[in-house]
Amino acid sequence: MSFFRSFFYGVERAEPLAIPSILRIALLLLWLGVMVMIFINRKRLMARENPFLLARIGAIVLFVDQIVLYSWQVFSGYFNVQMSLPLYHCRIAVPLIILDVIFGVKILRSIWIYWGALGSLFAMAFMDLYRFDFPHYTNFQFFIVHLLLGWMICYAVFVLNYQFDKKGLRLVLIVTLAYNIGLIFFNAACNGTFTASADLLFNYGYMVLPPAPLTNLALSFPPYVFYAIMLIGYEAMILLLYAFGRGLNRISAKRQGLPA
């Protein structure tokens, strides 16, 4: 019982959690390695009787995780409006995946593909975990979600034949810009200011400040410059993802003998 309590306790430490370099490298290799294996084995996966089954299993894992995550936050007393609301892009991508893959709501598939890709990429690059000592539920939950995001997007492209098209691109560019502007105003309303500082509590979408390694750099910018960088940066990264995705579509089509 004592292990269970410590595994799900709800009071964070003051300092960020340090991740050993060897563990960071191992997790990055796992993240990339599974995506490479999906690419290598895509024909075998497509030839399965129900190639959608593995995607559905991944979505079910995410669904269970969401139930456990918010149950833990509420019952441990951790839940707080400064950090717990599902307003980060990757937090929105997760329920969109669940709605799409489990319940068949496909209309916003392009949103979770792009937002999930960005969320997985940035999470694995910065590994900005909750501040709980190991072993804690969130130590595992962070990687379960962000690894699965990358793997499911790769699976959708190479096995389920998701196509990066201009219609989806336009939708994502418009929705992302509108959403990010909304986040800027939401964070500012809750913080009581548009001016960034290290002690502000609301930073959804990292629209006020970037994760810890880049925080001091962003604070050195003139007021509001970081907002412009983030608004333009998200749009630029989506365009890069589109170009990269189109390249993956061409590779996949060429290997299958289909017109690109």
Side-chain angles (χ1 to χ4, degrees):
M1 183 62 85
S2 60
F3 173 80
F4 183 83
R5 287 174 180 169
S6 64
F7 193 73
F8 286 101
Y9 74 99
V11 180
E12 286 186 287
R13 51 188 272 174
E15 305 82 17
L17 183 66
I19 305 175
S21 297
I22 187 67
L23 181 57
R24 286 179 179 268
I25 293 170
L27 288 165
L28 285 170
L29 290 175
L30 175 64
W31 179 59
L32 293 170
V34 172
M35 288 191 281
V36 170
M37 292 302 295
I38 291 171
F39 173 74
I40 292 173
N41 294 286
R42 64 194 181 282
K43 289 186 179 179
R44 186 181 304 172
L45 292 168
M46 292 176 69
R48 290 170 62 93
E49 182 177 349
N50 182 7
F52 208 72
L53 179 61
L54 286 177
R56 186 166 285 114
I57 291 172
I60 290 171
V61 171
L62 291 175
F63 189 26
V64 171
D65 168 76
Q66 293 296 286
I67 294 171
V68 176
L69 174 66
Y70 287 102
S71 297
W72 159 70
Q73 292 204 23
V74 171
F75 291 112
S76 70
Y78 175 82
F79 187 89
N80 60 89
V81 294
Q82 295 92 343
M83 287 292 296
S84 299
L85 299 179
L87 297 180
Y88 288 93
H89 299 80
C90 56
R91 290 184 186 175
I92 295 175
V94 171
L96 292 183
I97 290 175
I98 293 167
L99 286 172
D100 180 349
V101 178
I102 298 179
F103 300 103
V105 182
K106 297 178 173 60
I107 189 170
L108 295 178
R109 179 171 292 183
S110 294
I111 302 294
W112 73 254
I113 290 284
Y114 283 91
W115 286 13
L118 292 175
S120 183
L121 177 63
F122 282 115
M124 297 308 295
F126 293 103
M127 298 189 186
D128 187 20
L129 277 67
Y130 292 88
R131 297 182 177 188
F132 292 102
D133 288 320
F134 183 87
H136 187 270
Y137 162 67
T138 59
N139 304 151
F140 302 94
Q141 188 272 340
F142 177 90
F143 291 108
I144 289 171
V145 169
H146 293 101
L147 288 170
L148 268 175
L149 280 175
W151 297 342
M152 290 192 69
I153 291 163
C154 191
Y155 193 87
V157 173
F158 289 119
V159 181
L160 303 181
N161 200 32
Y162 173 80
Q163 296 295 307
F164 288 84
D165 57 29
K166 291 184 179 179
K167 180 180 179 181
L169 174 66
R170 284 194 296 271
L171 173 66
V172 177
L173 287 172
I174 293 169
V175 171
T176 302
L177 181 61
Y179 182 73
N180 286 342
I181 291 172
L183 275 186
I184 290 172
F185 281 91
F186 178 83
N187 287 326
C190 294
N191 287 323
T193 179
F194 280 97
T195 304
S197 64
D199 60 343
L200 294 180
L201 297 177
F202 289 81
N203 186 25
Y204 284 110
Y206 294 110
M207 297 302 295
V208 178
L209 290 171
L214 300 176
T215 299
N216 290 335
L217 175 64
L219 286 172
S220 69
F221 296 157
Y224 315 128
V225 168
F226 185 69
Y227 290 139
I229 291 173
M230 290 299 285
L231 291 175
I232 296 170
Y234 263 100
E235 301 294 290
M237 286 186 292
I238 287 168
L239 289 170
L240 286 173
L241 279 175
Y242 170 76
F244 182 67
R246 288 296 300 155
L248 293 179
N249 287 155
R250 292 190 188 98
I251 292 171
S252 185
K254 185 176 181 181
R255 294 296 179 89
Q256 296 174 51
L258 300 173

